[in-house]
């Protein structure tokens, strides 16, 4: 597909933007989600301020099972209103019951811009969150480009208000209050405690990849670039300093996965095996070199700017995989020079999919397997497709009659 249908930015007058017109600032800190200090107040495109001494994460609200194993379930692009397609909810419930994960990551675009009131925004989120909460599973969330689109309907539900509400009403949520010193509202580090000792065996990095790019960058028109924002320099530096602080505290690098919504430029490079090419003829060699599996049916809708996050992760050597959403009908993954890059399939039935009769063929979730007894702890990932779980994939929408009760 050539574009993301309905990816229209909120009218600028309704956006809550920073001084450069590029997104909001904020980092998850404290309360449940193990986060790291050492924050930077850098403006977009400017050199980050000098770092405060980084403090390593210490809280570990998720623990490996007694057998040393744990699963993480990735859900992304449920992207619907308060009248969610019933099959989206069924897919989440079935994935949870089949895999019994110890942690769920909602990886952006949980809702769309359809809700017309504050209550409808909450109902749209609750339809997705309720199955996780009912099963007592710990979960965390990052924001995508659509989560704040309802501001165009005067709902007033900014990402700040969404985080505050979620933190107040859902006991298994790991999203804490927001510190306004860093771009975004869903950055954080979560450490997973070993089954054998009070120390981490694995980690999860969460990043806010922000929303839409401004119309001009550096005084020049953005024409010719993608429409999306990027992970900013202060976020990249926060990760690097937090990673260093964690290694210093525990005497070793903590193997980790990273989750955010909008893909990196390297997700594109992985598929084509070339930094500047998009020639399908080069994919066969890239697939062999990088062990690519999965499907690609649309462009890789990266941010307008290359964030440099991949380079920082290569330097640090603690991230084993980077998984995104955003492009609903891309499901591929592969090993890009030692770091897995991949997509979770689009989970929601209420948004765009493949053309025609195959509209919902790729609806699914992604599972990550961890074993603290194995070398590197992370042992692999696989997709769970609705069609393989016996869930209806008939084209069209099957919306619930009324939203689930709010907590």
């Amino acid at each position: 597909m050539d574009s993301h249908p309905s990816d229209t930015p909120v009218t600028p007058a309704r956006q809550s933007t920073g001084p450069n017109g590029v997104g909001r600032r904020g980092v998850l800190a404290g309360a449940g989600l193990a986060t790291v200090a050492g924050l930077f107040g850098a403006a977009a495109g400017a050199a980050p301020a000098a770092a405060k001494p980084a403090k390593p994460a210490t809280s570990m609200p998720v623990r490996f099972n007694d057998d040393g194993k744990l699963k993480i379930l990735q859900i992304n692009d449920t992207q619907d209103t308060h009248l969610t397609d019933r099959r989206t909810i069924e897919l989440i419930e079935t994935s949870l019951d089949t895999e019994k994960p110890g942690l769920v990551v909602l990886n952006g675009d949980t809702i769309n811009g359809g809700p017309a009131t504050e209550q409808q925004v909450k109902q749209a989120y609750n339809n997705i969150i309720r199955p996780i909460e009912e099963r007592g599973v710990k979960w965390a969330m990052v924001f995508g480009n659509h989560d704040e689109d309802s501001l165009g309907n005067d709902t007033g539900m900014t990402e700040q208000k969404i985080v505050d509400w979620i933190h107040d009403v859902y006991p298994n949520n790991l999203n804490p209050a927001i510190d306004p010193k860093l771009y975004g509202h869903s950055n954080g580090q979560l450490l997973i405690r070993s089954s054998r000792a009070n120390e981490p065996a694995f980690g999860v990095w969460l990043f806010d990849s922000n929303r839409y790019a401004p119309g001009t960058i550096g005084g020049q028109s953005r024409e010719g670039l993608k429409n999306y924002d990027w992970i900013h320099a202060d976020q990249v530096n926060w990760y690097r300093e937090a990673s260093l602080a964690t290694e210093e505290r525990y005497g070793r690098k903590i193997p980790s996965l990273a989750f955010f919504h909008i893909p990196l430029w390297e997700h594109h490079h992985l598929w084509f095996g070339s930094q500047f090419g998009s020639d399908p003829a080069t994919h066969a060699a890239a697939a062999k070199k990088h062990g690519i599996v999965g499907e690609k049916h649309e462009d890789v809708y990266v941010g307008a700017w290359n964030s440099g996050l991949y380079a920082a992760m290569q330097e640090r050597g603690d991230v084993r995989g980077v998984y995104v959403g955003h492009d609903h009908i891309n499901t591929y993954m592969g090993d890009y020079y030692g770091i897995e890059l991949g997509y979770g399939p689009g989970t929601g039935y209420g948004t765009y999919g493949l053309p025609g009769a195959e509209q919902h063929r790729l609806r699914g979730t992604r599972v990550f397997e961890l074993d603290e007894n194995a070398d590197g702890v992370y042992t692999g990932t696989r997709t769970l497709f609705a069609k393989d779980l016996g869930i209806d994939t008939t084209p069209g929408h099957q919306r619930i009659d009324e939203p689930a009760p709010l907590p």
Side-chain angles (χ1 to χ4, degrees):
M1 300 176 68
D2 295 328
S3 64
H4 277 180
S6 78
D7 269 13
T8 303
V10 175
T11 304
R14 298 192 187 279
Q15 292 192 50
S16 173
T17 59
N20 297 284
V22 193
R24 283 84 39 234
R25 297 173 184 249
V27 65
L28 299 180
L33 186 64
T35 58
V36 182
L39 306 179
F40 307 84
K52 297 178 181 178
K55 296 180 181 179
T58 55
S59 175
M60 292 180 281
V62 179
R63 177 183 177 275
F64 276 82
N65 300 324
D66 290 343
D67 62 359
K69 296 182 179 181
L70 187 85
K71 294 179 184 178
I72 298 173
L73 181 70
Q74 177 190 357
I75 296 169
N76 47 258
D77 296 284
T78 48
Q79 200 169 324
D80 213 333
T81 70
H82 61 299
L83 298 179
T84 310
D85 193 298
R86 65 166 186 83
R87 295 169 295 178
T88 302
I89 300 169
E90 183 182 0
L91 174 55
I92 293 170
E93 292 175 335
T94 305
S95 296
L96 290 167
D97 293 340
T98 301
E99 300 299 328
K100 296 179 171 53
L103 176 67
V104 173
V105 176
L106 298 179
N107 210 33
D109 283 3
T110 302
I111 68 170
N112 63 19
T117 66
E118 176 181 333
Q119 181 175 355
Q120 287 182 1
V121 170
K122 293 177 178 178
Q123 289 169 333
Y125 274 102
N126 186 57
N127 289 337
I128 303 305
I129 295 168
R130 187 180 178 92
I132 307 169
E133 282 286 330
E134 286 178 338
R135 289 158 177 79
V137 180
K138 300 294 185 185
W139 62 279
M141 178 182 71
V142 300
F143 286 116
N145 53 293
H146 284 304
D147 286 289
E148 207 177 64
D149 279 359
S150 73
L151 290 177
N153 297 328
D154 292 317
T155 65
M157 288 300 285
T158 63
E159 290 173 357
Q160 172 76 60
K161 290 184 177 180
I162 293 167
V163 170
D164 290 344
W165 169 70
I166 283 173
H167 184 240
D168 287 342
V169 301
Y170 295 112
N172 291 298
N173 176 250
L174 303 180
N175 286 74
I178 294 169
D179 186 322
K181 296 178 181 178
L182 196 67
Y183 269 103
H185 293 92
S186 52
N187 305 289
Q189 181 193 21
L190 171 64
L191 296 179
I192 302 175
R193 184 161 62 93
S194 168
S195 64
R196 300 188 295 262
N198 188 28
E199 61 180 37
F202 201 75
V204 170
W205 294 96
L206 306 173
F207 294 88
D208 192 335
S209 54
N210 301 301
R211 301 186 70 228
Y212 302 105
T216 60
I217 300 174
Q220 298 179 358
S221 168
R222 185 181 48 77
E223 184 178 358
L225 303 180
K226 297 295 187 184
N227 190 39
Y228 301 100
D229 206 343
W230 55 89
I231 294 172
H232 288 261
D234 58 338
Q235 295 173 274
V236 177
N237 283 328
W238 163 77
Y239 154 73
R240 186 176 183 278
E241 294 300 317
S243 174
L244 285 163
T246 303
E247 181 181 10
E248 182 177 354
R249 175 180 176 87
Y250 296 107
R252 57 191 171 86
K253 296 182 191 294
I254 305 300
S256 304
L257 290 170
F259 294 95
F260 46 89
H261 186 68
I262 296 173
L264 299 174
W265 288 33
E266 287 82 6
H267 282 80
H268 171 95
H269 304 337
L270 164 72
W271 182 266
F272 291 107
S274 171
Q275 287 184 310
F276 301 107
S278 301
D279 184 354
T282 66
H283 169 65
K288 182 177 180 180
K289 179 177 181 178
H290 300 300
I292 299 172
V293 295
E295 301 181 32
K296 180 181 183 295
H297 295 280
E298 61 177 315
D299 200 356
V300 179
Y301 284 87
V302 299
W305 216 248
N306 190 331
S307 68
L309 180 60
Y310 177 85
M313 290 176 171
Q314 270 283 1
E315 175 195 353
R316 288 298 305 135
D318 56 356
V319 172
R320 300 290 186 260
V322 176
Y323 282 84
V324 300
H326 192 51
D327 305 326
H328 306 178
I329 49 179
N330 290 343
T331 67
Y332 66 87
M333 56 79 64
D335 182 341
Y336 191 70
Y337 301 102
I339 300 176
E340 279 185 4
L341 302 179
Y343 286 91
T347 305
Y349 280 70
T351 183
Y352 78 87
L354 291 167
E358 291 200 318
Q359 180 184 10
H360 299 309
R361 178 174 65 83
L362 293 179
R363 303 304 185 199
T365 58
R366 182 175 282 280
V367 179
F368 301 86
E369 305 267 6
L370 308 179
D371 184 346
E372 64 175 321
N373 300 306
D375 184 35
V377 184
Y378 171 50
T379 59
T381 181
R382 53 192 165 82
T383 48
L384 286 178
F385 290 110
K387 60 185 176 64
D388 297 325
L389 296 173
I391 299 171
D392 181 14
T393 56
T394 303
H397 300 308
Q398 299 177 20
R399 302 197 179 280
I400 56 177
D401 295 328
E402 59 183 30
L406 289 172

